[in-house]
Amino acid sequence: MGHIRLGDLPRTRKWQEVVALIEGGAGTVQLANATISAAEQGLKLASEDKGLVETIWLLTQIPLAAKSADFAGSLRNVGLKVSDSPSLMEVVGAVSDVIDSRLANNGGRTDLGEMAQMAAAETLSKEIGSRTKGLFDTTPADVQTAFSRLAISKQFSGFARQFFARLTNKCLNYFLSRAMDYHVGEGKRFATLAQVSDFSKALETHCQEAAKIVEDFSGGWFSKTNWEQDGIPRDKAAGFTYVALKKIISELKEGARSDAE
Protein backbone atom coordinates (compact mmCIF):
# COMPACT_ATOMS: atom_id res chain seq x y z
CA MET A 1 0.00 0.00 0.00
CA GLY A 2 2.92 2.32 0.59
CA HIS A 3 1.45 5.15 2.66
CA ILE A 4 2.26 4.10 6.22
CA ARG A 5 0.60 6.25 8.88
CA LEU A 6 0.13 3.82 11.74
CA GLY A 7 3.35 4.64 13.52
CA ASP A 8 6.98 3.57 13.29
CA LEU A 9 6.36 0.49 15.38
CA PRO A 10 8.96 -1.96 14.02
CA ARG A 11 11.68 -0.11 15.96
CA THR A 12 9.82 0.01 19.25
CA ARG A 13 10.47 -2.32 22.16
CA LYS A 14 6.92 -3.64 22.00
CA TRP A 15 7.32 -4.65 18.36
CA GLN A 16 10.58 -6.42 19.14
CA GLU A 17 8.66 -8.38 21.75
CA VAL A 18 6.22 -9.52 19.06
CA VAL A 19 9.09 -10.67 16.85
CA ALA A 20 10.65 -12.47 19.80
CA LEU A 21 7.41 -14.32 20.44
CA ILE A 22 7.32 -15.55 16.85
CA GLU A 23 10.93 -16.66 17.04
CA GLY A 24 10.25 -18.44 20.32
CA GLY A 25 7.21 -20.28 19.03
CA ALA A 26 4.54 -18.53 21.08
CA GLY A 27 0.94 -19.73 20.95
CA THR A 28 -1.58 -17.93 18.78
CA VAL A 29 -3.38 -16.13 21.61
CA GLN A 30 -0.14 -14.94 23.23
CA LEU A 31 1.17 -13.70 19.89
CA ALA A 32 -2.10 -12.00 19.02
CA ASN A 33 -2.08 -10.16 22.34
CA ALA A 34 1.51 -9.00 21.84
CA THR A 35 0.51 -7.66 18.42
CA ILE A 36 -2.40 -5.79 20.00
CA SER A 37 0.00 -4.08 22.39
CA ALA A 38 2.28 -3.09 19.51
CA ALA A 39 -0.59 -1.70 17.43
CA GLU A 40 -2.33 0.19 20.23
CA GLN A 41 -0.90 3.65 19.59
CA GLY A 42 -1.74 3.50 15.90
CA LEU A 43 -5.33 2.51 16.66
CA LYS A 44 -5.67 5.36 19.15
CA LEU A 45 -4.95 7.81 16.34
CA ALA A 46 -7.37 6.09 13.99
CA SER A 47 -10.35 8.34 14.77
CA GLU A 48 -8.44 11.23 13.21
CA ASP A 49 -7.94 9.36 9.94
CA LYS A 50 -9.94 11.07 7.17
CA GLY A 51 -10.37 7.92 5.11
CA LEU A 52 -11.60 5.89 8.07
CA VAL A 53 -14.06 8.53 9.24
CA GLU A 54 -15.37 9.07 5.71
CA THR A 55 -15.86 5.33 5.31
CA ILE A 56 -17.80 5.01 8.55
CA TRP A 57 -19.89 8.08 7.75
CA LEU A 58 -20.86 6.59 4.38
CA LEU A 59 -21.78 3.29 6.04
CA THR A 60 -24.29 5.24 8.16
CA GLN A 61 -25.73 7.09 5.17
CA ILE A 62 -26.64 4.09 3.01
CA PRO A 63 -29.25 2.62 5.41
CA LEU A 64 -30.82 6.06 5.80
CA ALA A 65 -30.89 6.53 2.03
CA ALA A 66 -32.56 3.14 1.65
CA LYS A 67 -35.41 4.29 3.89
CA SER A 68 -36.31 7.06 1.46
CA ALA A 69 -38.67 6.72 -1.50
CA ASP A 70 -35.85 7.69 -3.85
CA PHE A 71 -33.00 5.36 -2.91
CA ALA A 72 -30.76 6.23 -5.86
CA GLY A 73 -31.33 9.96 -5.45
CA SER A 74 -30.54 9.81 -1.75
CA LEU A 75 -27.32 7.90 -2.47
CA ARG A 76 -26.32 10.55 -4.98
CA ASN A 77 -26.98 13.24 -2.38
CA VAL A 78 -24.15 11.80 -0.26
CA GLY A 79 -21.84 11.55 -3.25
CA LEU A 80 -22.37 7.99 -4.50
CA LYS A 81 -22.53 7.85 -8.28
CA VAL A 82 -25.12 5.18 -8.97
CA SER A 83 -27.73 4.40 -11.60
CA ASP A 84 -31.46 4.80 -11.01
CA SER A 85 -31.67 1.14 -9.94
CA PRO A 86 -28.39 0.36 -8.17
CA SER A 87 -27.24 -3.20 -7.57
CA LEU A 88 -25.35 -4.29 -4.48
CA MET A 89 -22.01 -4.37 -6.27
CA GLU A 90 -22.72 -0.96 -7.79
CA VAL A 91 -23.24 0.52 -4.32
CA VAL A 92 -20.10 -1.19 -3.02
CA GLY A 93 -18.06 0.18 -5.91
CA ALA A 94 -19.54 3.66 -5.52
CA VAL A 95 -18.52 3.76 -1.86
CA SER A 96 -14.88 3.08 -2.74
CA ASP A 97 -14.98 5.54 -5.64
CA VAL A 98 -16.31 8.44 -3.59
CA ILE A 99 -13.76 7.87 -0.83
CA ASP A 100 -11.01 7.90 -3.46
CA SER A 101 -12.35 11.14 -4.92
CA ARG A 102 -12.50 12.86 -1.54
CA LEU A 103 -8.92 11.91 -0.81
CA ALA A 104 -7.67 13.01 -4.21
CA ASN A 105 -3.94 13.45 -4.76
CA ASN A 106 -3.30 11.27 -1.68
CA GLY A 107 -4.47 14.07 0.62
CA GLY A 108 -5.18 12.29 3.86
CA ARG A 109 -4.74 8.87 2.26
CA THR A 110 -3.28 6.28 4.63
CA ASP A 111 -2.90 2.54 4.89
CA LEU A 112 -5.51 2.60 7.64
CA GLY A 113 -7.98 4.41 5.40
CA GLU A 114 -7.40 1.86 2.66
CA MET A 115 -7.95 -0.96 5.13
CA ALA A 116 -11.21 0.69 6.18
CA GLN A 117 -12.30 0.84 2.54
CA MET A 118 -11.58 -2.85 2.09
CA ALA A 119 -13.32 -3.75 5.36
CA ALA A 120 -16.36 -1.73 4.27
CA ALA A 121 -16.52 -3.41 0.85
CA GLU A 122 -16.20 -6.87 2.39
CA THR A 123 -18.81 -6.16 5.07
CA LEU A 124 -21.31 -4.66 2.65
CA SER A 125 -20.90 -7.54 0.20
CA LYS A 126 -21.15 -10.23 2.87
CA GLU A 127 -23.84 -8.77 5.13
CA ILE A 128 -26.15 -7.44 2.43
CA GLY A 129 -25.44 -10.40 0.16
CA SER A 130 -26.50 -12.78 2.93
CA ARG A 131 -29.77 -10.87 3.35
CA THR A 132 -30.65 -11.24 -0.32
CA LYS A 133 -30.45 -14.01 -2.90
CA GLY A 134 -26.78 -13.46 -3.67
CA LEU A 135 -24.33 -10.93 -5.05
CA PHE A 136 -25.40 -11.04 -8.70
CA ASP A 137 -29.02 -12.27 -8.93
CA THR A 138 -30.74 -9.75 -6.67
CA THR A 139 -33.14 -7.08 -7.84
CA PRO A 140 -32.64 -3.37 -7.01
CA ALA A 141 -35.70 -3.61 -4.76
CA ASP A 142 -34.08 -6.49 -2.84
CA VAL A 143 -30.93 -4.41 -2.37
CA GLN A 144 -32.83 -1.38 -1.10
CA THR A 145 -34.87 -3.51 1.31
CA ALA A 146 -31.75 -5.18 2.69
CA PHE A 147 -30.01 -1.86 3.20
CA SER A 148 -33.08 -0.30 4.80
CA ARG A 149 -33.09 -2.99 7.48
CA LEU A 150 -29.69 -1.76 8.65
CA ALA A 151 -31.43 1.42 9.81
CA ILE A 152 -32.92 -0.68 12.62
CA SER A 153 -30.83 -0.46 15.78
CA LYS A 154 -30.34 -4.22 16.22
CA GLN A 155 -29.43 -4.74 12.57
CA PHE A 156 -26.96 -1.87 12.52
CA SER A 157 -25.39 -3.27 15.69
CA GLY A 158 -24.48 -6.54 14.02
CA PHE A 159 -23.35 -4.80 10.85
CA ALA A 160 -21.05 -2.45 12.77
CA ARG A 161 -19.57 -5.35 14.73
CA GLN A 162 -18.66 -7.14 11.50
CA PHE A 163 -17.05 -4.02 10.05
CA PHE A 164 -14.95 -3.32 13.15
CA ALA A 165 -13.96 -6.98 13.45
CA ARG A 166 -12.64 -6.92 9.89
CA LEU A 167 -10.91 -3.58 10.39
CA THR A 168 -9.25 -4.72 13.61
CA ASN A 169 -8.09 -7.93 11.99
CA LYS A 170 -6.59 -6.04 9.07
CA CYS A 171 -4.81 -3.62 11.43
CA LEU A 172 -3.27 -6.39 13.50
CA ASN A 173 -2.27 -8.34 10.41
CA TYR A 174 -0.69 -5.16 9.05
CA PHE A 175 1.76 -5.13 11.94
CA LEU A 176 2.12 -8.88 12.28
CA SER A 177 2.91 -9.51 8.62
CA ARG A 178 6.12 -7.47 8.94
CA ALA A 179 7.57 -10.14 11.17
CA MET A 180 5.73 -13.19 9.82
CA ASP A 181 7.43 -13.08 6.42
CA TYR A 182 10.75 -13.97 8.03
CA HIS A 183 9.38 -16.94 9.94
CA VAL A 184 7.60 -19.04 7.32
CA GLY A 185 9.31 -22.07 5.81
CA GLU A 186 10.97 -25.35 6.68
CA GLY A 187 12.59 -25.29 10.10
CA LYS A 188 10.95 -21.97 11.03
CA ARG A 189 8.11 -20.96 13.36
CA PHE A 190 5.47 -21.64 10.66
CA ALA A 191 6.74 -24.59 8.67
CA THR A 192 3.77 -24.72 6.30
CA LEU A 193 1.21 -22.35 4.83
CA ALA A 194 -1.44 -24.41 6.61
CA GLN A 195 0.07 -23.32 9.94
CA VAL A 196 -0.01 -19.70 8.80
CA SER A 197 -3.66 -20.18 7.84
CA ASP A 198 -4.46 -21.67 11.25
CA PHE A 199 -2.89 -18.69 12.97
CA SER A 200 -4.77 -16.26 10.72
CA LYS A 201 -8.05 -17.96 11.60
CA ALA A 202 -7.24 -17.74 15.30
CA LEU A 203 -6.48 -14.04 14.98
CA GLU A 204 -9.70 -13.49 13.03
CA THR A 205 -11.71 -15.19 15.77
CA HIS A 206 -9.88 -13.07 18.36
CA CYS A 207 -10.99 -9.90 16.53
CA GLN A 208 -14.57 -11.11 16.08
CA GLU A 209 -14.88 -11.73 19.79
CA ALA A 210 -13.32 -8.40 20.73
CA ALA A 211 -15.57 -6.47 18.35
CA LYS A 212 -18.65 -7.64 20.22
CA ILE A 213 -17.95 -4.83 22.69
CA VAL A 214 -19.16 -2.28 20.12
CA GLU A 215 -22.25 -4.20 19.02
CA ASP A 216 -24.95 -2.79 21.31
CA PHE A 217 -23.20 0.57 21.54
CA SER A 218 -23.25 0.99 17.75
CA GLY A 219 -26.96 0.36 17.33
CA GLY A 220 -27.90 2.61 20.23
CA TRP A 221 -25.64 5.39 18.95
CA PHE A 222 -27.04 5.13 15.42
CA SER A 223 -30.67 5.35 16.50
CA LYS A 224 -30.11 8.09 19.09
CA THR A 225 -27.98 10.26 16.82
CA ASN A 226 -30.29 9.90 13.84
CA TRP A 227 -33.26 10.85 16.01
CA GLU A 228 -31.60 13.84 17.65
CA GLN A 229 -29.76 15.15 14.59
CA ASP A 230 -32.26 14.11 11.91
CA GLY A 231 -29.40 12.29 10.21
CA ILE A 232 -25.78 11.39 10.94
CA PRO A 233 -23.33 14.32 10.53
CA ARG A 234 -19.67 13.64 9.82
CA ASP A 235 -18.53 15.06 13.14
CA LYS A 236 -20.82 12.65 14.97
CA ALA A 237 -19.42 9.78 12.88
CA ALA A 238 -15.90 10.87 13.89
CA GLY A 239 -16.89 10.86 17.55
CA PHE A 240 -18.45 7.44 17.17
CA THR A 241 -15.27 6.14 15.54
CA TYR A 242 -13.18 7.40 18.46
CA VAL A 243 -15.38 5.76 21.10
CA ALA A 244 -15.79 2.49 19.18
CA LEU A 245 -12.04 2.05 18.68
CA LYS A 246 -11.36 2.99 22.29
CA LYS A 247 -13.77 0.27 23.37
CA ILE A 248 -12.15 -2.30 21.08
CA ILE A 249 -8.63 -1.44 22.27
CA SER A 250 -9.79 -1.75 25.87
CA GLU A 251 -11.40 -5.11 25.14
CA LEU A 252 -8.35 -6.44 23.35
CA LYS A 253 -6.13 -5.39 26.24
CA GLU A 254 -8.52 -6.94 28.76
CA GLY A 255 -8.36 -10.17 26.81
CA ALA A 256 -4.57 -9.98 26.91
CA ARG A 257 -4.65 -9.61 30.70
CA SER A 258 -7.09 -12.53 31.05
CA ASP A 259 -4.96 -14.79 28.90
CA ALA A 260 -1.90 -13.94 30.95
CA GLU A 261 -3.52 -15.03 34.19
PDB file of all heavy atoms in Angstrom, residues 103-133:
ATOM      1  N   LEU A 103     -10.299  11.909  -1.268  1.00  0.00           N
ATOM      2  CA  LEU A 103      -8.916  11.906  -0.808  1.00  0.00           C
ATOM      3  C   LEU A 103      -7.993  12.027  -2.018  1.00  0.00           C
ATOM      4  O   LEU A 103      -6.965  11.378  -2.108  1.00  0.00           O
ATOM      5  CB  LEU A 103      -8.609  10.619  -0.031  1.00  0.00           C
ATOM      6  CG  LEU A 103      -9.441  10.389   1.232  1.00  0.00           C
ATOM      7  CD1 LEU A 103      -9.115   9.036   1.839  1.00  0.00           C
ATOM      8  CD2 LEU A 103      -9.233  11.494   2.247  1.00  0.00           C
ATOM      9  N   ALA A 104      -8.411  12.862  -2.954  1.00  0.00           N
ATOM     10  CA  ALA A 104      -7.670  13.013  -4.209  1.00  0.00           C
ATOM     11  C   ALA A 104      -6.249  13.481  -3.953  1.00  0.00           C
ATOM     12  O   ALA A 104      -5.963  14.178  -2.973  1.00  0.00           O
ATOM     13  CB  ALA A 104      -8.388  14.013  -5.109  1.00  0.00           C
ATOM     14  N   ASN A 105      -5.354  13.075  -4.851  1.00  0.00           N
ATOM     15  CA  ASN A 105      -3.940  13.449  -4.759  1.00  0.00           C
ATOM     16  C   ASN A 105      -3.300  12.982  -3.457  1.00  0.00           C
ATOM     17  O   ASN A 105      -2.371  13.609  -2.943  1.00  0.00           O
ATOM     18  CB  ASN A 105      -3.764  14.968  -4.895  1.00  0.00           C
ATOM     19  CG  ASN A 105      -4.290  15.474  -6.223  1.00  0.00           C
ATOM     20  OD1 ASN A 105      -4.090  14.851  -7.262  1.00  0.00           O
ATOM     21  ND2 ASN A 105      -4.991  16.603  -6.186  1.00  0.00           N
ATOM     22  N   ASN A 106      -3.831  11.877  -2.909  1.00  0.00           N
ATOM     23  CA  ASN A 106      -3.304  11.275  -1.675  1.00  0.00           C
ATOM     24  C   ASN A 106      -3.456  12.164  -0.449  1.00  0.00           C
ATOM     25  O   ASN A 106      -2.840  11.906   0.582  1.00  0.00           O
ATOM     26  CB  ASN A 106      -1.822  10.885  -1.838  1.00  0.00           C
ATOM     27  CG  ASN A 106      -1.661   9.700  -2.760  1.00  0.00           C
ATOM     28  OD1 ASN A 106      -2.559   8.888  -2.900  1.00  0.00           O
ATOM     29  ND2 ASN A 106      -0.509   9.612  -3.400  1.00  0.00           N
ATOM     30  N   GLY A 107      -4.255  13.218  -0.544  1.00  0.00           N
ATOM     31  CA  GLY A 107      -4.467  14.070   0.616  1.00  0.00           C
ATOM     32  C   GLY A 107      -5.217  13.340   1.709  1.00  0.00           C
ATOM     33  O   GLY A 107      -6.406  13.052   1.576  1.00  0.00           O
ATOM     34  N   GLY A 108      -4.547  13.028   2.770  1.00  0.00           N
ATOM     35  CA  GLY A 108      -5.183  12.294   3.855  1.00  0.00           C
ATOM     36  C   GLY A 108      -5.247  10.802   3.640  1.00  0.00           C
ATOM     37  O   GLY A 108      -5.797  10.080   4.467  1.00  0.00           O
ATOM     38  N   ARG A 109      -4.692  10.301   2.537  1.00  0.00           N
ATOM     39  CA  ARG A 109      -4.743   8.870   2.264  1.00  0.00           C
ATOM     40  C   ARG A 109      -3.713   8.129   3.116  1.00  0.00           C
ATOM     41  O   ARG A 109      -2.557   8.521   3.176  1.00  0.00           O
ATOM     42  CB  ARG A 109      -4.493   8.591   0.780  1.00  0.00           C
ATOM     43  CG  ARG A 109      -4.578   7.103   0.423  1.00  0.00           C
ATOM     44  CD  ARG A 109      -4.546   6.899  -1.072  1.00  0.00           C
ATOM     45  NE  ARG A 109      -5.698   7.507  -1.710  1.00  0.00           N
ATOM     46  CZ  ARG A 109      -6.916   6.966  -1.700  1.00  0.00           C
ATOM     47  NH1 ARG A 109      -7.134   5.818  -1.084  1.00  0.00           N
ATOM     48  NH2 ARG A 109      -7.920   7.576  -2.288  1.00  0.00           N
ATOM     49  N   THR A 110      -4.152   7.066   3.761  1.00  0.00           N
ATOM     50  CA  THR A 110      -3.284   6.280   4.626  1.00  0.00           C
ATOM     51  C   THR A 110      -3.561   4.796   4.416  1.00  0.00           C
ATOM     52  O   THR A 110      -4.578   4.403   3.830  1.00  0.00           O
ATOM     53  CB  THR A 110      -3.538   6.599   6.112  1.00  0.00           C
ATOM     54  OG1 THR A 110      -4.865   6.178   6.447  1.00  0.00           O
ATOM     55  CG2 THR A 110      -3.382   8.081   6.405  1.00  0.00           C
ATOM     56  N   ASP A 111      -2.661   3.980   4.912  1.00  0.00           N
ATOM     57  CA  ASP A 111      -2.905   2.537   4.887  1.00  0.00           C
ATOM     58  C   ASP A 111      -4.162   2.191   5.683  1.00  0.00           C
ATOM     59  O   ASP A 111      -4.945   1.323   5.292  1.00  0.00           O
ATOM     60  CB  ASP A 111      -1.711   1.802   5.475  1.00  0.00           C
ATOM     61  CG  ASP A 111      -0.533   1.756   4.507  1.00  0.00           C
ATOM     62  OD1 ASP A 111      -0.716   1.988   3.302  1.00  0.00           O
ATOM     63  OD2 ASP A 111       0.580   1.488   4.963  1.00  0.00           O
ATOM     64  N   LEU A 112      -4.337   2.862   6.817  1.00  0.00           N
ATOM     65  CA  LEU A 112      -5.508   2.597   7.643  1.00  0.00           C
ATOM     66  C   LEU A 112      -6.787   2.920   6.887  1.00  0.00           C
ATOM     67  O   LEU A 112      -7.755   2.157   6.922  1.00  0.00           O
ATOM     68  CB  LEU A 112      -5.440   3.407   8.936  1.00  0.00           C
ATOM     69  CG  LEU A 112      -6.633   3.255   9.879  1.00  0.00           C
ATOM     70  CD1 LEU A 112      -6.779   1.799  10.317  1.00  0.00           C
ATOM     71  CD2 LEU A 112      -6.491   4.172  11.078  1.00  0.00           C
ATOM     72  N   GLY A 113      -6.805   4.056   6.183  1.00  0.00           N
ATOM     73  CA  GLY A 113      -7.979   4.415   5.398  1.00  0.00           C
ATOM     74  C   GLY A 113      -8.266   3.389   4.326  1.00  0.00           C
ATOM     75  O   GLY A 113      -9.427   3.045   4.059  1.00  0.00           O
ATOM     76  N   GLU A 114      -7.219   2.878   3.696  1.00  0.00           N
ATOM     77  CA  GLU A 114      -7.403   1.862   2.663  1.00  0.00           C
ATOM     78  C   GLU A 114      -7.920   0.560   3.268  1.00  0.00           C
ATOM     79  O   GLU A 114      -8.746  -0.140   2.673  1.00  0.00           O
ATOM     80  CB  GLU A 114      -6.099   1.634   1.914  1.00  0.00           C
ATOM     81  CG  GLU A 114      -5.694   2.832   1.060  1.00  0.00           C
ATOM     82  CD  GLU A 114      -4.441   2.565   0.230  1.00  0.00           C
ATOM     83  OE1 GLU A 114      -4.076   1.385   0.064  1.00  0.00           O
ATOM     84  OE2 GLU A 114      -3.847   3.536  -0.246  1.00  0.00           O
ATOM     85  N   MET A 115      -7.441   0.224   4.460  1.00  0.00           N
ATOM     86  CA  MET A 115      -7.949  -0.963   5.132  1.00  0.00           C
ATOM     87  C   MET A 115      -9.422  -0.798   5.485  1.00  0.00           C
ATOM     88  O   MET A 115     -10.210  -1.752   5.402  1.00  0.00           O
ATOM     89  CB  MET A 115      -7.125  -1.259   6.382  1.00  0.00           C
ATOM     90  CG  MET A 115      -5.767  -1.864   6.075  1.00  0.00           C
ATOM     91  SD  MET A 115      -4.868  -2.396   7.555  1.00  0.00           S
ATOM     92  CE  MET A 115      -4.129  -0.835   8.056  1.00  0.00           C
ATOM     93  N   ALA A 116      -9.802   0.421   5.867  1.00  0.00           N
ATOM     94  CA  ALA A 116     -11.207   0.691   6.177  1.00  0.00           C
ATOM     95  C   ALA A 116     -12.067   0.531   4.932  1.00  0.00           C
ATOM     96  O   ALA A 116     -13.171  -0.029   4.990  1.00  0.00           O
ATOM     97  CB  ALA A 116     -11.355   2.106   6.745  1.00  0.00           C
ATOM     98  N   GLN A 117     -11.573   1.020   3.787  1.00  0.00           N
ATOM     99  CA  GLN A 117     -12.303   0.841   2.538  1.00  0.00           C
ATOM    100  C   GLN A 117     -12.522  -0.632   2.228  1.00  0.00           C
ATOM    101  O   GLN A 117     -13.620  -1.047   1.840  1.00  0.00           O
ATOM    102  CB  GLN A 117     -11.528   1.477   1.377  1.00  0.00           C
ATOM    103  CG  GLN A 117     -11.706   2.980   1.239  1.00  0.00           C
ATOM    104  CD  GLN A 117     -10.973   3.509   0.030  1.00  0.00           C
ATOM    105  OE1 GLN A 117      -9.829   3.931   0.139  1.00  0.00           O
ATOM    106  NE2 GLN A 117     -11.616   3.501  -1.113  1.00  0.00           N
ATOM    107  N   MET A 118     -11.465  -1.417   2.375  1.00  0.00           N
ATOM    108  CA  MET A 118     -11.581  -2.851   2.094  1.00  0.00           C
ATOM    109  C   MET A 118     -12.529  -3.530   3.070  1.00  0.00           C
ATOM    110  O   MET A 118     -13.342  -4.377   2.680  1.00  0.00           O
ATOM    111  CB  MET A 118     -10.197  -3.503   2.157  1.00  0.00           C
ATOM    112  CG  MET A 118      -9.291  -3.129   1.001  1.00  0.00           C
ATOM    113  SD  MET A 118      -7.748  -4.091   0.975  1.00  0.00           S
ATOM    114  CE  MET A 118      -6.859  -3.329   2.347  1.00  0.00           C
ATOM    115  N   ALA A 119     -12.435  -3.156   4.351  1.00  0.00           N
ATOM    116  CA  ALA A 119     -13.319  -3.746   5.356  1.00  0.00           C
ATOM    117  C   ALA A 119     -14.773  -3.392   5.063  1.00  0.00           C
ATOM    118  O   ALA A 119     -15.672  -4.224   5.229  1.00  0.00           O
ATOM    119  CB  ALA A 119     -12.929  -3.266   6.753  1.00  0.00           C
ATOM    120  N   ALA A 120     -15.006  -2.168   4.604  1.00  0.00           N
ATOM    121  CA  ALA A 120     -16.363  -1.732   4.269  1.00  0.00           C
ATOM    122  C   ALA A 120     -16.903  -2.525   3.088  1.00  0.00           C
ATOM    123  O   ALA A 120     -18.045  -3.010   3.114  1.00  0.00           O
ATOM    124  CB  ALA A 120     -16.378  -0.242   3.961  1.00  0.00           C
ATOM    125  N   ALA A 121     -16.085  -2.672   2.041  1.00  0.00           N
ATOM    126  CA  ALA A 121     -16.520  -3.405   0.850  1.00  0.00           C
ATOM    127  C   ALA A 121     -16.842  -4.857   1.197  1.00  0.00           C
ATOM    128  O   ALA A 121     -17.857  -5.416   0.755  1.00  0.00           O
ATOM    129  CB  ALA A 121     -15.448  -3.335  -0.232  1.00  0.00           C
ATOM    130  N   GLU A 122     -15.985  -5.476   2.003  1.00  0.00           N
ATOM    131  CA  GLU A 122     -16.200  -6.870   2.386  1.00  0.00           C
ATOM    132  C   GLU A 122     -17.458  -7.021   3.234  1.00  0.00           C
ATOM    133  O   GLU A 122     -18.239  -7.961   3.058  1.00  0.00           O
ATOM    134  CB  GLU A 122     -14.991  -7.388   3.161  1.00  0.00           C
ATOM    135  CG  GLU A 122     -13.735  -7.536   2.318  1.00  0.00           C
ATOM    136  CD  GLU A 122     -12.492  -7.784   3.156  1.00  0.00           C
ATOM    137  OE1 GLU A 122     -12.637  -8.009   4.379  1.00  0.00           O
ATOM    138  OE2 GLU A 122     -11.380  -7.748   2.591  1.00  0.00           O
ATOM    139  N   THR A 123     -17.653  -6.077   4.165  1.00  0.00           N
ATOM    140  CA  THR A 123     -18.809  -6.165   5.065  1.00  0.00           C
ATOM    141  C   THR A 123     -20.102  -5.920   4.316  1.00  0.00           C
ATOM    142  O   THR A 123     -21.098  -6.631   4.524  1.00  0.00           O
ATOM    143  CB  THR A 123     -18.659  -5.170   6.230  1.00  0.00           C
ATOM    144  OG1 THR A 123     -17.406  -5.377   6.883  1.00  0.00           O
ATOM    145  CG2 THR A 123     -19.778  -5.354   7.248  1.00  0.00           C
ATOM    146  N   LEU A 124     -20.115  -4.920   3.448  1.00  0.00           N
ATOM    147  CA  LEU A 124     -21.313  -4.661   2.650  1.00  0.00           C
ATOM    148  C   LEU A 124     -21.663  -5.867   1.785  1.00  0.00           C
ATOM    149  O   LEU A 124     -22.816  -6.303   1.739  1.00  0.00           O
ATOM    150  CB  LEU A 124     -21.104  -3.433   1.761  1.00  0.00           C
ATOM    151  CG  LEU A 124     -21.060  -2.075   2.466  1.00  0.00           C
ATOM    152  CD1 LEU A 124     -20.588  -0.996   1.503  1.00  0.00           C
ATOM    153  CD2 LEU A 124     -22.446  -1.718   3.017  1.00  0.00           C
ATOM    154  N   SER A 125     -20.667  -6.403   1.096  1.00  0.00           N
ATOM    155  CA  SER A 125     -20.904  -7.538   0.203  1.00  0.00           C
ATOM    156  C   SER A 125     -21.419  -8.751   0.970  1.00  0.00           C
ATOM    157  O   SER A 125     -22.378  -9.414   0.542  1.00  0.00           O
ATOM    158  CB  SER A 125     -19.619  -7.906  -0.540  1.00  0.00           C
ATOM    159  OG  SER A 125     -19.169  -6.834  -1.331  1.00  0.00           O
ATOM    160  N   LYS A 126     -20.791  -9.040   2.100  1.00  0.00           N
ATOM    161  CA  LYS A 126     -21.149 -10.230   2.870  1.00  0.00           C
ATOM    162  C   LYS A 126     -22.484 -10.053   3.585  1.00  0.00           C
ATOM    163  O   LYS A 126     -23.366 -10.918   3.497  1.00  0.00           O
ATOM    164  CB  LYS A 126     -20.049 -10.529   3.894  1.00  0.00           C
ATOM    165  CG  LYS A 126     -20.330 -11.716   4.795  1.00  0.00           C
ATOM    166  CD  LYS A 126     -20.276 -13.031   4.045  1.00  0.00           C
ATOM    167  CE  LYS A 126     -20.634 -14.219   4.930  1.00  0.00           C
ATOM    168  NZ  LYS A 126     -19.724 -14.374   6.073  1.00  0.00           N
ATOM    169  N   GLU A 127     -22.646  -8.947   4.302  1.00  0.00           N
ATOM    170  CA  GLU A 127     -23.841  -8.766   5.127  1.00  0.00           C
ATOM    171  C   GLU A 127     -25.091  -8.521   4.286  1.00  0.00           C
ATOM    172  O   GLU A 127     -26.147  -9.086   4.565  1.00  0.00           O
ATOM    173  CB  GLU A 127     -23.629  -7.625   6.121  1.00  0.00           C
ATOM    174  CG  GLU A 127     -22.497  -7.863   7.096  1.00  0.00           C
ATOM    175  CD  GLU A 127     -22.662  -9.155   7.870  1.00  0.00           C
ATOM    176  OE1 GLU A 127     -23.748  -9.373   8.443  1.00  0.00           O
ATOM    177  OE2 GLU A 127     -21.719  -9.961   7.898  1.00  0.00           O
ATOM    178  N   ILE A 128     -24.988  -7.696   3.272  1.00  0.00           N
ATOM    179  CA  ILE A 128     -26.147  -7.440   2.427  1.00  0.00           C
ATOM    180  C   ILE A 128     -26.387  -8.627   1.502  1.00  0.00           C
ATOM    181  O   ILE A 128     -27.526  -9.019   1.247  1.00  0.00           O
ATOM    182  CB  ILE A 128     -25.971  -6.148   1.610  1.00  0.00           C
ATOM    183  CG1 ILE A 128     -25.787  -4.951   2.551  1.00  0.00           C
ATOM    184  CG2 ILE A 128     -27.184  -5.909   0.709  1.00  0.00           C
ATOM    185  CD1 ILE A 128     -26.914  -4.758   3.546  1.00  0.00           C
ATOM    186  N   GLY A 129     -25.304  -9.223   1.011  1.00  0.00           N
ATOM    187  CA  GLY A 129     -25.435 -10.403   0.165  1.00  0.00           C
ATOM    188  C   GLY A 129     -26.158 -11.533   0.882  1.00  0.00           C
ATOM    189  O   GLY A 129     -26.975 -12.244   0.296  1.00  0.00           O
ATOM    190  N   SER A 130     -25.873 -11.701   2.168  1.00  0.00           N
ATOM    191  CA  SER A 130     -26.500 -12.781   2.931  1.00  0.00           C
ATOM    192  C   SER A 130     -27.975 -12.506   3.208  1.00  0.00           C
ATOM    193  O   SER A 130     -28.744 -13.429   3.501  1.00  0.00           O
ATOM    194  CB  SER A 130     -25.766 -12.981   4.267  1.00  0.00           C
ATOM    195  OG  SER A 130     -25.953 -11.868   5.126  1.00  0.00           O
ATOM    196  N   ARG A 131     -28.375 -11.241   3.110  1.00  0.00           N
ATOM    197  CA  ARG A 131     -29.770 -10.868   3.346  1.00  0.00           C
ATOM    198  C   ARG A 131     -30.602 -10.934   2.068  1.00  0.00           C
ATOM    199  O   ARG A 131     -31.813 -10.727   2.105  1.00  0.00           O
ATOM    200  CB  ARG A 131     -29.839  -9.455   3.934  1.00  0.00           C
ATOM    201  CG  ARG A 131     -29.363  -9.355   5.382  1.00  0.00           C
ATOM    202  CD  ARG A 131     -29.172  -7.898   5.780  1.00  0.00           C
ATOM    203  NE  ARG A 131     -28.995  -7.716   7.203  1.00  0.00           N
ATOM    204  CZ  ARG A 131     -27.891  -7.971   7.880  1.00  0.00           C
ATOM    205  NH1 ARG A 131     -26.833  -8.458   7.242  1.00  0.00           N
ATOM    206  NH2 ARG A 131     -27.818  -7.768   9.181  1.00  0.00           N
ATOM    207  N   THR A 132     -29.951 -11.150   0.957  1.00  0.00           N
ATOM    208  CA  THR A 132     -30.650 -11.239  -0.321  1.00  0.00           C
ATOM    209  C   THR A 132     -30.360 -12.603  -0.949  1.00  0.00           C
ATOM    210  O   THR A 132     -29.856 -13.502  -0.305  1.00  0.00           O
ATOM    211  CB  THR A 132     -30.205 -10.095  -1.255  1.00  0.00           C
ATOM    212  OG1 THR A 132     -28.777 -10.146  -1.415  1.00  0.00           O
ATOM    213  CG2 THR A 132     -30.594  -8.740  -0.672  1.00  0.00           C
ATOM    214  N   LYS A 133     -30.617 -12.710  -2.239  1.00  0.00           N
ATOM    215  CA  LYS A 133     -30.450 -14.009  -2.902  1.00  0.00           C
ATOM    216  C   LYS A 133     -29.019 -14.287  -3.306  1.00  0.00           C
ATOM    217  O   LYS A 133     -28.670 -15.395  -3.682  1.00  0.00           O
ATOM    218  CB  LYS A 133     -31.363 -14.067  -4.129  1.00  0.00           C
ATOM    219  CG  LYS A 133     -32.843 -13.930  -3.786  1.00  0.00           C
ATOM    220  CD  LYS A 133     -33.677 -13.820  -5.049  1.00  0.00           C
ATOM    221  CE  LYS A 133     -35.141 -13.600  -4.703  1.00  0.00           C
ATOM    222  NZ  LYS A 133     -35.967 -13.399  -5.927  1.00  0.00           N
TER     223      LYS A 133
END
